[in-house]
Amino acid sequence: MAPQDRLLFLLLLPGSCSGCGPLSLPLLAGLVAADAVMSLLIVGVVFACMRPRNRQGQEDNRVYINMPGRR
């Protein structure tokens, strides 16, 4: 079993980790900050990809019934 496989196996095991100490405050703060930055990055990318874009040069000349603002 490769070292990466052992680590993945240990992460998937339920219960306590033998020999694991508590996380230090700077490490915990760094993990929380990294999680917040990654979450904001994902939200920003999704927002940028889903934002409607205006097609310049193409005018919408269709008549919409039951839409008073569009003539």
Side-chain angles (χ1 to χ4, degrees):
M1 198 182 273
Q4 296 87 4
D5 295 338
R6 284 191 213 141
L7 180 62
L8 180 62
F9 181 70
L10 288 175
L11 289 174
L12 293 176
L13 283 177
S16 65
C17 176
S18 61
C20 295
L23 294 176
S24 65
L25 186 60
L27 178 63
L28 186 60
L31 289 173
V32 170
D35 182 47
V37 168
M38 288 302 294
S39 297
L40 289 174
L41 182 66
I42 291 170
V43 168
V45 168
V46 169
F47 179 75
C49 290
M50 297 304 295
R51 189 177 65 204
R53 295 184 178 97
N54 292 334
R55 295 182 188 154
Q56 296 177 355
Q58 292 182 353
E59 186 64 34
D60 188 7
N61 292 327
R62 289 179 278 183
V63 176
Y64 290 87
I65 299 173
N66 296 331
M67 292 183 70
R70 309 267 321 229
R71 293 182 183 229

CSV table of all heavy atoms in Angstrom, one decimal:
chain,number,residue,atom,x,y,z
A,1,MET,N,0.8,-1.2,0.0
A,1,MET,CA,0.0,0.0,0.0
A,1,MET,C,0.9,1.2,0.0
A,1,MET,O,1.8,1.4,0.8
A,1,MET,CB,-0.9,0.0,1.2
A,1,MET,CG,-2.1,0.9,1.2
A,1,MET,SD,-3.1,0.9,2.7
A,1,MET,CE,-4.2,-0.5,2.4
A,2,ALA,N,0.7,2.2,-0.9
A,2,ALA,CA,1.5,3.4,-1.0
A,2,ALA,C,1.1,4.3,0.2
A,2,ALA,O,0.1,4.2,0.8
A,2,ALA,CB,1.2,4.1,-2.3
A,3,PRO,N,2.1,5.2,0.5
A,3,PRO,CA,1.8,6.2,1.6
A,3,PRO,C,0.6,7.0,1.4
A,3,PRO,O,-0.2,7.3,2.4
A,3,PRO,CB,3.1,7.0,1.6
A,3,PRO,CG,4.1,6.2,1.0
A,3,PRO,CD,3.4,5.4,0.0
A,4,GLN,N,0.3,7.4,0.2
A,4,GLN,CA,-0.9,8.2,-0.1
A,4,GLN,C,-2.2,7.4,0.2
A,4,GLN,O,-3.2,7.9,0.7
A,4,GLN,CB,-1.0,8.7,-1.5
A,4,GLN,CG,0.1,9.7,-1.9
A,4,GLN,CD,1.4,9.0,-2.4
A,4,GLN,OE1,1.4,7.7,-2.5
A,4,GLN,NE2,2.4,9.7,-2.6
A,5,ASP,N,-2.2,6.1,-0.1
A,5,ASP,CA,-3.3,5.2,0.1
A,5,ASP,C,-3.5,5.0,1.6
A,5,ASP,O,-4.7,5.0,2.1
A,5,ASP,CB,-3.1,3.9,-0.6
A,5,ASP,CG,-3.1,4.0,-2.1
A,5,ASP,OD1,-3.6,5.0,-2.6
A,5,ASP,OD2,-2.5,3.1,-2.7
A,6,ARG,N,-2.5,4.9,2.4
A,6,ARG,CA,-2.6,4.8,3.8
A,6,ARG,C,-3.2,6.0,4.4
A,6,ARG,O,-4.1,6.0,5.3
A,6,ARG,CB,-1.2,4.5,4.5
A,6,ARG,CG,-0.8,3.1,4.3
A,6,ARG,CD,0.4,2.8,5.1
A,6,ARG,NE,1.3,1.9,4.4
A,6,ARG,CZ,2.6,1.9,4.3
A,6,ARG,NH1,3.2,2.8,5.0
A,6,ARG,NH2,3.2,1.0,3.6
A,7,LEU,N,-2.8,7.2,4.0
A,7,LEU,CA,-3.3,8.5,4.5
A,7,LEU,C,-4.8,8.6,4.2
A,7,LEU,O,-5.6,8.9,5.0
A,7,LEU,CB,-2.6,9.7,3.9
A,7,LEU,CG,-3.0,11.0,4.4
A,7,LEU,CD1,-2.8,11.2,5.9
A,7,LEU,CD2,-2.2,12.1,3.6
A,8,LEU,N,-5.2,8.3,2.9
A,8,LEU,CA,-6.6,8.3,2.6
A,8,LEU,C,-7.4,7.3,3.4
A,8,LEU,O,-8.5,7.6,3.9
A,8,LEU,CB,-6.8,8.0,1.1
A,8,LEU,CG,-8.2,8.0,0.6
A,8,LEU,CD1,-8.8,9.4,0.7
A,8,LEU,CD2,-8.2,7.6,-0.9
A,9,PHE,N,-6.8,6.1,3.6
A,9,PHE,CA,-7.5,5.1,4.4
A,9,PHE,C,-7.7,5.6,5.9
A,9,PHE,O,-8.8,5.5,6.5
A,9,PHE,CB,-6.7,3.8,4.4
A,9,PHE,CG,-7.4,2.7,5.2
A,9,PHE,CD1,-8.5,2.1,4.8
A,9,PHE,CD2,-6.8,2.3,6.4
A,9,PHE,CE1,-9.1,1.1,5.5
A,9,PHE,CE2,-7.4,1.3,7.2
A,9,PHE,CZ,-8.5,0.7,6.7
A,10,LEU,N,-6.7,6.3,6.4
A,10,LEU,CA,-6.8,6.8,7.8
A,10,LEU,C,-7.8,7.9,7.9
A,10,LEU,O,-8.5,8.1,8.9
A,10,LEU,CB,-5.4,7.3,8.3
A,10,LEU,CG,-4.4,6.2,8.6
A,10,LEU,CD1,-3.1,6.8,9.0
A,10,LEU,CD2,-4.9,5.3,9.7
A,11,LEU,N,-7.9,8.8,6.8
A,11,LEU,CA,-8.9,9.8,6.9
A,11,LEU,C,-10.3,9.3,6.8
A,11,LEU,O,-11.2,10.0,7.3
A,11,LEU,CB,-8.6,10.8,5.7
A,11,LEU,CG,-7.3,11.7,5.9
A,11,LEU,CD1,-7.1,12.5,4.6
A,11,LEU,CD2,-7.4,12.6,7.0
A,12,LEU,N,-10.5,8.2,6.1
A,12,LEU,CA,-11.8,7.6,6.0
A,12,LEU,C,-12.3,6.8,7.2
A,12,LEU,O,-13.5,6.5,7.3
A,12,LEU,CB,-11.9,6.8,4.7
A,12,LEU,CG,-11.7,7.5,3.4
A,12,LEU,CD1,-11.7,6.5,2.3
A,12,LEU,CD2,-12.8,8.5,3.2
A,13,LEU,N,-11.4,6.5,8.1
A,13,LEU,CA,-11.7,5.7,9.3
A,13,LEU,C,-12.5,6.6,10.3
A,13,LEU,O,-12.1,7.7,10.6
A,13,LEU,CB,-10.5,5.2,10.0
A,13,LEU,CG,-9.8,4.0,9.3
A,13,LEU,CD1,-8.6,3.6,10.1
A,13,LEU,CD2,-10.8,2.8,9.3
A,14,PRO,N,-13.6,6.1,10.8
A,14,PRO,CA,-14.3,6.9,11.8
A,14,PRO,C,-13.6,6.7,13.2
A,14,PRO,O,-12.8,5.8,13.4
A,14,PRO,CB,-15.7,6.2,11.9
A,14,PRO,CG,-15.4,4.8,11.5
A,14,PRO,CD,-14.3,4.9,10.5
A,15,GLY,N,-13.8,7.7,14.1
A,15,GLY,CA,-13.2,7.6,15.4
A,15,GLY,C,-12.0,8.5,15.6
A,15,GLY,O,-11.7,9.4,14.7
A,16,SER,N,-11.3,8.3,16.7
A,16,SER,CA,-10.2,9.1,17.0
A,16,SER,C,-8.9,8.6,16.3
A,16,SER,O,-8.8,7.5,16.0
A,16,SER,CB,-10.0,9.1,18.5
A,16,SER,OG,-9.6,7.8,18.9
A,17,CYS,N,-8.0,9.5,16.1
A,17,CYS,CA,-6.7,9.2,15.5
A,17,CYS,C,-5.7,9.0,16.6
A,17,CYS,O,-5.5,9.9,17.5
A,17,CYS,CB,-6.3,10.4,14.6
A,17,CYS,SG,-4.7,10.2,13.9
A,18,SER,N,-5.1,7.9,16.6
A,18,SER,CA,-4.1,7.6,17.7
A,18,SER,C,-2.8,8.4,17.4
A,18,SER,O,-2.3,8.4,16.3
A,18,SER,CB,-3.8,6.1,17.8
A,18,SER,OG,-3.2,5.7,16.5
A,19,GLY,N,-2.4,9.1,18.4
A,19,GLY,CA,-1.1,9.9,18.3
A,19,GLY,C,-1.4,11.3,17.7
A,19,GLY,O,-0.4,12.0,17.4
A,20,CYS,N,-2.6,11.6,17.4
A,20,CYS,CA,-2.9,13.0,16.9
A,20,CYS,C,-3.1,13.9,18.0
A,20,CYS,O,-4.0,13.7,18.9
A,20,CYS,CB,-4.1,13.0,16.0
A,20,CYS,SG,-3.9,12.0,14.5
A,21,GLY,N,-2.4,15.0,18.0
A,21,GLY,CA,-2.6,16.0,19.1
A,21,GLY,C,-3.6,17.1,18.6
A,21,GLY,O,-4.1,17.0,17.4
A,22,PRO,N,-4.0,18.0,19.5
A,22,PRO,CA,-4.9,19.0,19.0
A,22,PRO,C,-4.2,20.0,18.1
A,22,PRO,O,-3.0,20.1,18.0
A,22,PRO,CB,-5.2,19.8,20.4
A,22,PRO,CG,-4.1,19.5,21.3
A,22,PRO,CD,-3.6,18.1,20.9
A,23,LEU,N,-5.0,20.6,17.2
A,23,LEU,CA,-4.5,21.5,16.2
A,23,LEU,C,-4.1,22.8,16.9
A,23,LEU,O,-4.8,23.3,17.8
A,23,LEU,CB,-5.5,21.8,15.2
A,23,LEU,CG,-5.9,20.7,14.2
A,23,LEU,CD1,-7.0,21.1,13.3
A,23,LEU,CD2,-4.7,20.2,13.5
A,24,SER,N,-3.0,23.4,16.5
A,24,SER,CA,-2.6,24.7,17.1
A,24,SER,C,-3.5,25.8,16.6
A,24,SER,O,-4.1,25.6,15.5
A,24,SER,CB,-1.1,25.0,16.8
A,24,SER,OG,-1.0,25.1,15.4
A,25,LEU,N,-3.6,26.8,17.3
A,25,LEU,CA,-4.4,28.0,16.9
A,25,LEU,C,-4.0,28.6,15.6
A,25,LEU,O,-4.9,28.8,14.7
A,25,LEU,CB,-4.5,29.0,18.0
A,25,LEU,CG,-5.4,30.2,17.8
A,25,LEU,CD1,-6.9,29.6,17.7
A,25,LEU,CD2,-5.4,31.1,19.0
A,26,PRO,N,-2.7,28.8,15.3
A,26,PRO,CA,-2.4,29.4,14.0
A,26,PRO,C,-2.7,28.5,12.8
A,26,PRO,O,-3.2,28.9,11.8
A,26,PRO,CB,-0.9,29.6,14.1
A,26,PRO,CG,-0.6,29.7,15.5
A,26,PRO,CD,-1.6,28.8,16.2
A,27,LEU,N,-2.5,27.2,13.0
A,27,LEU,CA,-2.9,26.2,12.0
A,27,LEU,C,-4.4,26.2,11.7
A,27,LEU,O,-4.8,26.2,10.6
A,27,LEU,CB,-2.4,24.8,12.4
A,27,LEU,CG,-2.7,23.7,11.3
A,27,LEU,CD1,-2.1,24.0,10.0
A,27,LEU,CD2,-2.3,22.4,11.9
A,28,LEU,N,-5.2,26.2,12.8
A,28,LEU,CA,-6.6,26.2,12.7
A,28,LEU,C,-7.1,27.5,12.0
A,28,LEU,O,-8.0,27.5,11.1
A,28,LEU,CB,-7.3,26.0,14.1
A,28,LEU,CG,-8.8,25.9,14.1
A,28,LEU,CD1,-9.2,24.7,13.3
A,28,LEU,CD2,-9.3,25.8,15.5
A,29,ALA,N,-6.5,28.6,12.4
A,29,ALA,CA,-6.9,29.9,11.8
A,29,ALA,C,-6.5,29.9,10.3
A,29,ALA,O,-7.3,30.4,9.4
A,29,ALA,CB,-6.2,31.0,12.5
A,30,GLY,N,-5.4,29.3,10.0
A,30,GLY,CA,-5.0,29.3,8.6
A,30,GLY,C,-5.9,28.4,7.7
A,30,GLY,O,-6.2,28.7,6.6
A,31,LEU,N,-6.3,27.3,8.3
A,31,LEU,CA,-7.2,26.4,7.6
A,31,LEU,C,-8.6,27.1,7.4
A,31,LEU,O,-9.2,27.0,6.3
A,31,LEU,CB,-7.4,25.1,8.4
A,31,LEU,CG,-6.3,24.1,8.4
A,31,LEU,CD1,-6.5,23.0,9.3
A,31,LEU,CD2,-6.0,23.6,7.0
A,32,VAL,N,-9.1,27.8,8.4
A,32,VAL,CA,-10.4,28.5,8.2
A,32,VAL,C,-10.2,29.6,7.2
A,32,VAL,O,-11.1,29.8,6.4
A,32,VAL,CB,-10.8,29.0,9.6
A,32,VAL,CG1,-12.0,30.0,9.4
A,32,VAL,CG2,-11.2,27.9,10.5
A,33,ALA,N,-9.1,30.3,7.2
A,33,ALA,CA,-8.9,31.4,6.3
A,33,ALA,C,-8.8,30.9,4.8
A,33,ALA,O,-9.4,31.4,3.9
A,33,ALA,CB,-7.7,32.2,6.6
A,34,ALA,N,-8.1,29.7,4.7
A,34,ALA,CA,-7.9,29.1,3.4
A,34,ALA,C,-9.3,28.6,2.8
A,34,ALA,O,-9.6,28.8,1.7
A,34,ALA,CB,-6.9,28.0,3.4
A,35,ASP,N,-10.1,28.1,3.7
A,35,ASP,CA,-11.4,27.6,3.3
A,35,ASP,C,-12.3,28.8,2.9
A,35,ASP,O,-13.0,28.7,1.9
A,35,ASP,CB,-12.1,26.9,4.5
A,35,ASP,CG,-13.4,26.3,4.2
A,35,ASP,OD1,-13.6,25.7,3.1
A,35,ASP,OD2,-14.4,26.5,5.0
A,36,ALA,N,-12.2,29.9,3.6
A,36,ALA,CA,-13.0,31.1,3.3
A,36,ALA,C,-12.6,31.7,1.9
A,36,ALA,O,-13.4,32.0,1.1
A,36,ALA,CB,-12.9,32.1,4.4
A,37,VAL,N,-11.3,31.7,1.7
A,37,VAL,CA,-10.8,32.2,0.4
A,37,VAL,C,-11.2,31.4,-0.7
A,37,VAL,O,-11.6,31.8,-1.8
A,37,VAL,CB,-9.2,32.4,0.5
A,37,VAL,CG1,-8.6,32.7,-0.9
A,37,VAL,CG2,-8.8,33.5,1.4
A,38,MET,N,-11.1,30.0,-0.6
A,38,MET,CA,-11.5,29.1,-1.6
A,38,MET,C,-13.0,29.2,-1.9
A,38,MET,O,-13.4,29.2,-3.1
A,38,MET,CB,-11.1,27.7,-1.3
A,38,MET,CG,-9.6,27.4,-1.4
A,38,MET,SD,-8.9,27.8,-3.0
A,38,MET,CE,-9.7,26.6,-4.0
A,39,SER,N,-13.8,29.4,-0.8
A,39,SER,CA,-15.2,29.5,-1.0
A,39,SER,C,-15.6,30.8,-1.8
A,39,SER,O,-16.4,30.7,-2.7
A,39,SER,CB,-15.9,29.5,0.3
A,39,SER,OG,-15.7,28.3,1.0
A,40,LEU,N,-14.9,31.9,-1.4
A,40,LEU,CA,-15.2,33.1,-2.1
A,40,LEU,C,-14.7,33.0,-3.6
A,40,LEU,O,-15.3,33.6,-4.5
A,40,LEU,CB,-14.5,34.3,-1.4
A,40,LEU,CG,-15.1,34.7,-0.1
A,40,LEU,CD1,-14.3,35.7,0.6
A,40,LEU,CD2,-16.5,35.2,-0.3
A,41,LEU,N,-13.6,32.3,-3.8
A,41,LEU,CA,-13.1,32.2,-5.2
A,41,LEU,C,-14.1,31.4,-6.0
A,41,LEU,O,-14.4,31.7,-7.2
A,41,LEU,CB,-11.7,31.5,-5.2
A,41,LEU,CG,-11.1,31.3,-6.5
A,41,LEU,CD1,-10.7,32.6,-7.1
A,41,LEU,CD2,-9.9,30.4,-6.4
A,42,ILE,N,-14.6,30.3,-5.5
A,42,ILE,CA,-15.6,29.5,-6.2
A,42,ILE,C,-16.9,30.3,-6.5
A,42,ILE,O,-17.4,30.3,-7.6
A,42,ILE,CB,-15.9,28.2,-5.4
A,42,ILE,CG1,-14.7,27.3,-5.4
A,42,ILE,CG2,-17.1,27.5,-6.0
A,42,ILE,CD1,-14.8,26.1,-4.4
A,43,VAL,N,-17.4,31.0,-5.5
A,43,VAL,CA,-18.6,31.9,-5.7
A,43,VAL,C,-18.3,32.9,-6.8
A,43,VAL,O,-19.1,33.2,-7.6
A,43,VAL,CB,-19.0,32.5,-4.4
A,43,VAL,CG1,-20.0,33.6,-4.6
A,43,VAL,CG2,-19.5,31.5,-3.4
A,44,GLY,N,-17.1,33.5,-6.8
A,44,GLY,CA,-16.8,34.5,-7.8
A,44,GLY,C,-16.7,34.0,-9.2
A,44,GLY,O,-17.2,34.6,-10.1
A,45,VAL,N,-16.1,32.8,-9.3
A,45,VAL,CA,-16.1,32.2,-10.6
A,45,VAL,C,-17.4,31.8,-11.1
A,45,VAL,O,-17.8,32.0,-12.3
A,45,VAL,CB,-15.1,30.9,-10.6
A,45,VAL,CG1,-15.2,30.1,-11.8
A,45,VAL,CG2,-13.7,31.4,-10.4
A,46,VAL,N,-18.3,31.2,-10.3
A,46,VAL,CA,-19.6,30.8,-10.7
A,46,VAL,C,-20.4,32.1,-11.0
A,46,VAL,O,-21.1,32.1,-12.0
A,46,VAL,CB,-20.3,30.0,-9.5
A,46,VAL,CG1,-21.8,29.9,-9.8
A,46,VAL,CG2,-19.7,28.7,-9.4
A,47,PHE,N,-20.3,33.1,-10.3
A,47,PHE,CA,-21.0,34.4,-10.6
A,47,PHE,C,-20.6,35.0,-11.9
A,47,PHE,O,-21.4,35.4,-12.7
A,47,PHE,CB,-20.8,35.4,-9.5
A,47,PHE,CG,-21.4,36.7,-9.7
A,47,PHE,CD1,-22.8,36.9,-9.5
A,47,PHE,CD2,-20.7,37.8,-10.1
A,47,PHE,CE1,-23.4,38.1,-9.8
A,47,PHE,CE2,-21.3,39.0,-10.4
A,47,PHE,CZ,-22.7,39.2,-10.2
A,48,ALA,N,-19.3,35.0,-12.2
A,48,ALA,CA,-18.7,35.5,-13.4
A,48,ALA,C,-19.2,34.7,-14.6
A,48,ALA,O,-19.5,35.2,-15.7
A,48,ALA,CB,-17.2,35.6,-13.4
A,49,CYS,N,-19.3,33.3,-14.4
A,49,CYS,CA,-19.7,32.5,-15.5
A,49,CYS,C,-21.2,32.5,-15.8
A,49,CYS,O,-21.6,32.3,-16.9
A,49,CYS,CB,-19.2,31.0,-15.3
A,49,CYS,SG,-17.5,30.8,-15.3
A,50,MET,N,-22.0,32.8,-14.8
A,50,MET,CA,-23.4,32.8,-15.0
A,50,MET,C,-24.0,34.1,-15.2
A,50,MET,O,-25.2,34.2,-15.5
A,50,MET,CB,-24.1,32.2,-13.7
A,50,MET,CG,-23.7,30.7,-13.4
A,50,MET,SD,-24.1,29.6,-14.8
A,50,MET,CE,-25.8,29.7,-14.8
A,51,ARG,N,-23.2,35.2,-15.2
A,51,ARG,CA,-23.7,36.5,-15.4
A,51,ARG,C,-24.1,36.7,-16.9
A,51,ARG,O,-23.4,36.3,-17.8
A,51,ARG,CB,-22.6,37.6,-15.1
A,51,ARG,CG,-23.1,39.0,-15.1
A,51,ARG,CD,-22.0,39.9,-14.7
A,51,ARG,NE,-21.0,39.9,-15.8
A,51,ARG,CZ,-19.7,40.2,-15.6
A,51,ARG,NH1,-19.3,40.6,-14.4
A,51,ARG,NH2,-18.9,40.1,-16.5
A,52,PRO,N,-25.3,37.2,-17.1
A,52,PRO,CA,-25.7,37.4,-18.5
A,52,PRO,C,-24.9,38.4,-19.2
A,52,PRO,O,-24.5,39.5,-18.7
A,52,PRO,CB,-27.2,37.8,-18.4
A,52,PRO,CG,-27.4,38.3,-17.1
A,52,PRO,CD,-26.3,37.7,-16.2
A,53,ARG,N,-24.5,38.1,-20.4
A,53,ARG,CA,-23.7,39.1,-21.2
A,53,ARG,C,-24.5,39.7,-22.3
A,53,ARG,O,-25.4,39.1,-22.9
A,53,ARG,CB,-22.6,38.3,-21.9
A,53,ARG,CG,-21.6,37.7,-20.9
A,53,ARG,CD,-20.4,37.1,-21.5
A,53,ARG,NE,-19.5,36.5,-20.6
A,53,ARG,CZ,-19.5,35.3,-20.2
A,53,ARG,NH1,-20.3,34.4,-20.7
A,53,ARG,NH2,-18.6,34.9,-19.3
A,54,ASN,N,-24.3,41.0,-22.5
A,54,ASN,CA,-25.0,41.7,-23.6
A,54,ASN,C,-24.3,41.5,-24.9
A,54,ASN,O,-23.1,41.5,-25.0
A,54,ASN,CB,-25.0,43.2,-23.3
A,54,ASN,CG,-25.9,43.6,-22.1
A,54,ASN,OD1,-26.8,42.8,-21.8
A,54,ASN,ND2,-25.5,44.7,-21.4
A,55,ARG,N,-25.1,41.2,-25.9
A,55,ARG,CA,-24.5,41.0,-27.2
A,55,ARG,C,-24.6,42.3,-28.0
A,55,ARG,O,-25.7,42.7,-28.4
A,55,ARG,CB,-25.3,39.9,-28.0
A,55,ARG,CG,-25.2,38.6,-27.3
A,55,ARG,CD,-26.0,37.5,-28.2
A,55,ARG,NE,-26.1,36.3,-27.5
A,55,ARG,CZ,-27.0,35.4,-27.6
A,55,ARG,NH1,-28.0,35.6,-28.4
A,55,ARG,NH2,-27.0,34.3,-26.9
A,56,GLN,N,-23.5,42.9,-28.1
A,56,GLN,CA,-23.4,44.2,-28.7
A,56,GLN,C,-23.5,44.0,-30.2
A,56,GLN,O,-23.0,43.1,-30.8
A,56,GLN,CB,-22.1,44.9,-28.4
A,56,GLN,CG,-22.0,45.3,-26.9
A,56,GLN,CD,-20.7,45.9,-26.6
A,56,GLN,OE1,-19.8,46.0,-27.5
A,56,GLN,NE2,-20.6,46.3,-25.4
A,57,GLY,N,-24.3,44.9,-30.9
A,57,GLY,CA,-24.4,44.8,-32.3
A,57,GLY,C,-25.7,44.1,-32.8
A,57,GLY,O,-26.1,44.2,-33.9
A,58,GLN,N,-26.3,43.4,-31.9
A,58,GLN,CA,-27.6,42.7,-32.2
A,58,GLN,C,-28.7,43.3,-31.4
A,58,GLN,O,-28.8,43.3,-30.2
A,58,GLN,CB,-27.5,41.2,-31.9
A,58,GLN,CG,-26.5,40.5,-32.7
A,58,GLN,CD,-26.5,39.0,-32.3
A,58,GLN,OE1,-27.1,38.6,-31.4
A,58,GLN,NE2,-25.8,38.2,-33.1
A,59,GLU,N,-29.6,44.0,-32.2
A,59,GLU,CA,-30.7,44.6,-31.5
A,59,GLU,C,-31.9,43.7,-31.6
A,59,GLU,O,-32.2,43.0,-32.5
A,59,GLU,CB,-31.1,45.9,-32.3
A,59,GLU,CG,-32.2,46.7,-31.7
A,59,GLU,CD,-31.8,47.3,-30.3
A,59,GLU,OE1,-30.6,47.6,-30.1
A,59,GLU,OE2,-32.7,47.4,-29.5
A,60,ASP,N,-32.6,43.6,-30.5
A,60,ASP,CA,-33.8,42.7,-30.4
A,60,ASP,C,-35.0,43.5,-30.9
A,60,ASP,O,-35.6,44.3,-30.2
A,60,ASP,CB,-34.0,42.3,-28.9
A,60,ASP,CG,-35.1,41.2,-28.8
A,60,ASP,OD1,-35.5,40.7,-29.8
A,60,ASP,OD2,-35.4,40.9,-27.6
A,61,ASN,N,-35.4,43.2,-32.1
A,61,ASN,CA,-36.6,43.9,-32.7
A,61,ASN,C,-37.9,43.1,-32.6
A,61,ASN,O,-38.8,43.5,-33.3
A,61,ASN,CB,-36.3,44.2,-34.2
A,61,ASN,CG,-35.1,45.2,-34.3
A,61,ASN,OD1,-35.0,46.1,-33.5
A,61,ASN,ND2,-34.3,45.0,-35.4
A,62,ARG,N,-37.9,42.1,-31.8
A,62,ARG,CA,-39.1,41.3,-31.7
A,62,ARG,C,-40.1,42.0,-30.8
A,62,ARG,O,-39.8,42.8,-29.9
A,62,ARG,CB,-38.8,40.0,-31.1
A,62,ARG,CG,-38.1,39.1,-32.1
A,62,ARG,CD,-37.8,37.8,-31.4
A,62,ARG,NE,-36.6,37.9,-30.6
A,62,ARG,CZ,-36.0,37.0,-29.9
A,62,ARG,NH1,-36.5,35.8,-29.9
A,62,ARG,NH2,-34.9,37.2,-29.2
A,63,VAL,N,-41.4,41.8,-31.1
A,63,VAL,CA,-42.5,42.3,-30.3
A,63,VAL,C,-42.9,41.3,-29.3
A,63,VAL,O,-43.2,40.2,-29.6
A,63,VAL,CB,-43.7,42.8,-31.2
A,63,VAL,CG1,-44.8,43.3,-30.3
A,63,VAL,CG2,-43.2,43.8,-32.2
A,64,TYR,N,-42.9,41.7,-28.0
A,64,TYR,CA,-43.3,40.7,-26.9
A,64,TYR,C,-44.7,41.1,-26.4
A,64,TYR,O,-44.9,42.2,-26.0
A,64,TYR,CB,-42.3,40.8,-25.8
A,64,TYR,CG,-40.9,40.3,-26.1
A,64,TYR,CD1,-40.0,41.1,-26.7
A,64,TYR,CD2,-40.6,39.0,-25.8
A,64,TYR,CE1,-38.7,40.6,-27.0
A,64,TYR,CE2,-39.4,38.4,-26.1
A,64,TYR,CZ,-38.4,39.2,-26.7
A,64,TYR,OH,-37.2,38.7,-27.0
A,65,ILE,N,-45.6,40.2,-26.5
A,65,ILE,CA,-46.9,40.4,-26.0
A,65,ILE,C,-46.9,40.1,-24.5
A,65,ILE,O,-46.2,39.2,-24.0
A,65,ILE,CB,-47.9,39.4,-26.7
A,65,ILE,CG1,-47.9,39.7,-28.2
A,65,ILE,CG2,-49.3,39.5,-26.1
A,65,ILE,CD1,-48.7,38.7,-29.0
A,66,ASN,N,-47.7,40.9,-23.8
A,66,ASN,CA,-47.8,40.8,-22.3
A,66,ASN,C,-46.5,41.2,-21.6
A,66,ASN,O,-46.3,40.8,-20.5
A,66,ASN,CB,-48.2,39.4,-21.9
A,66,ASN,CG,-49.6,39.1,-22.3
A,66,ASN,OD1,-50.4,40.0,-22.5
A,66,ASN,ND2,-49.9,37.8,-22.5
A,67,MET,N,-45.7,42.0,-22.3
A,67,MET,CA,-44.5,42.5,-21.6
A,67,MET,C,-44.4,44.0,-21.9
A,67,MET,O,-43.9,44.4,-23.0
A,67,MET,CB,-43.2,41.8,-22.1
A,67,MET,CG,-43.1,40.4,-21.7
A,67,MET,SD,-41.6,39.6,-22.2
A,67,MET,CE,-40.4,40.4,-21.2
A,68,PRO,N,-45.0,44.8,-21.1
A,68,PRO,CA,-45.2,46.2,-21.4
A,68,PRO,C,-43.9,47.0,-21.6
A,68,PRO,O,-43.8,47.9,-22.4
A,68,PRO,CB,-45.9,46.8,-20.1
A,68,PRO,CG,-46.3,45.7,-19.3
A,68,PRO,CD,-45.6,44.5,-19.8
A,69,GLY,N,-42.8,46.6,-21.0
A,69,GLY,CA,-41.6,47.3,-21.1
A,69,GLY,C,-40.8,47.1,-22.5
A,69,GLY,O,-40.0,47.8,-22.8
A,70,ARG,N,-41.2,46.0,-23.2
A,70,ARG,CA,-40.6,45.7,-24.4
A,70,ARG,C,-41.5,46.0,-25.6
A,70,ARG,O,-42.5,45.4,-25.7
A,70,ARG,CB,-40.2,44.2,-24.4
A,70,ARG,CG,-39.5,43.7,-23.2
A,70,ARG,CD,-38.0,43.7,-23.3
A,70,ARG,NE,-37.4,43.3,-24.6
A,70,ARG,CZ,-36.4,42.5,-24.7
A,70,ARG,NH1,-36.0,41.8,-23.6
A,70,ARG,NH2,-35.9,42.2,-25.9
A,71,ARG,N,-41.1,46.8,-26.5
A,71,ARG,CA,-41.9,47.2,-27.6
A,71,ARG,C,-41.1,47.0,-28.9
A,71,ARG,O,-40.0,47.2,-29.0
A,71,ARG,CB,-42.4,48.6,-27.5
A,71,ARG,CG,-43.4,48.7,-26.4
A,71,ARG,CD,-43.9,50.2,-26.4
A,71,ARG,NE,-44.7,50.3,-25.2
A,71,ARG,CZ,-45.9,50.8,-25.3
A,71,ARG,NH1,-46.4,51.3,-26.4
A,71,ARG,NH2,-46.7,50.9,-24.2
